[in-house]
Amino acid sequence: MATLFKNIKELIQVRNEPISFVSGKEMKVLPTIKNAFLVVENGLISDFGSMENCPQIDEEIIDVTGKMILPSWCDSHTHIVYAGNREGEFVDRINGLSYEEIANRGGGILNSAKKLQEISEEELYQQSKVRLEEVIQLGTGAVEIKSGYGLTEEAELKMLRVIKRLKDNYLIPIKATFLGAHAVPLEYKENKEGYIQMLIDDVIPKVTKEKLADYIDIFCETGYFSVADTELILSAGKKHGLIPKIHVNQFTAIGGVQAGIKFDALSVDHLEEMRNEDINALKGTQTMPVALPSCSYFLSIPYTPARKMIDAGLPLALATDFNPGSTPSGNMNFVVSTACIKMKMTPEEAINAATINSAYAMGLENKVGSITKGKLANFIITKPINSYGFIPYSFGVNQIEKVFLKGKEIL
Ligand code: NIG
Ligand code: FE
């Protein structure tokens, strides 16, 4: 059955030929068709073009006069599966404690891990599905979700099974990442090497045997895991077929970007602290740098230097980092606005970064991220707006009227 969307004021991010990602100056170009049509068949985009060439379709016709259509947001970095929240730490930070001080007192990731270890898989699923449904309503049409709040074999597998269940039960494409090396659990406080070895010997083989993850991640950061730890984990993950996608340069630049590149990471994420050598190392690689501006906003830490990176010819993707500690928000509309307002990205750059580039950062560039024939019909119909620049401009308000996944309207 075919559905025709007609009189689209502007069809945004139209790519006739499939592309993997856009970099440097290309990021300023956002191809669109004004006064357009779009045809969806069997959950896929089957045709689009200018209204002058609109085909005769006798089946379902939806008139979207005054509204725009753009591909759904792609969110390549989230921690949507977690237990409870940490608003107490939020207040502690308002009262002057730093993220690091809170973590050193047993708060932070360890606090979330304790909560997650205590609840059942069913309860974790119930809490997580609410957040997944929320981000779908906010226009996200593809998402990556990490483990990393379990920190024991049992709890990490519990998280990954919940991700798998979400994948089985929802129309949104989901990629799973194993982040066992997110923090050193208390039991291993004096034996970080032992924890890493346990992950390598026991957990990674089980994760891959049950096909529970696509990617391997680690928090490469002063006070968490070193560059040497990162290389050990990435190498073990790769041996088991897990592709690296890592947390680096959030608070300190210690060479994690280079370690990611060495192990052909699909993406290196956070990058609030970028030295010139880190920017240069990324040039000419297939590793996507990913910025998480809601995290910078929430923690009041520097924003990823997008201007410097894009002007150096690099690509850049945007994602939320939705998690209970540093970013309790999965709103990609806010991410796109914040990228424009705080990182000086143009609306074209931000939309490219939040669609095709973010799709690439989770290996889904052939399925989502642009209006291209054969891709999933995952898209947003906007409210009536004058130009697409209004989307980031009207920060805090989502210009979304309807969302579609695989051609189905999500109510
Ligand atoms: O991506 N930086 C590491 N991990 C998460 C935050 C973890 C937490 O505070 O719970 C992040 O920001
Ligand atoms: Fe993260």
Side-chain angles (χ1 to χ4, degrees), residues 77 79 86 99 108-109 112 149 182 219 247 250-251 270 292 295 321 323-327:
H77 181 139
H79 309 248
R86 307 212 312 255
Y99 183 80
I109 297 168
S112 288
Y149 287 118
H182 196 192
F219 188 16
H247 284 73
Q250 182 177 5
F251 301 108
H270 269 290
L292 310 166
C295 175
D321 198 18
N323 76 74
S326 70
T327 321

Side-chain angles (χ1 to χ4, degrees), residues 383-402:
K383 294 175 184 163
I385 55 175
N386 247 330
S387 75
Y388 62 72
F390 194 70
I391 297 171
Y393 164 86
S394 59
F395 77 96
V397 177
N398 310 319
Q399 298 300 336
I400 295 177
E401 188 168 280
K402 286 181 178 160

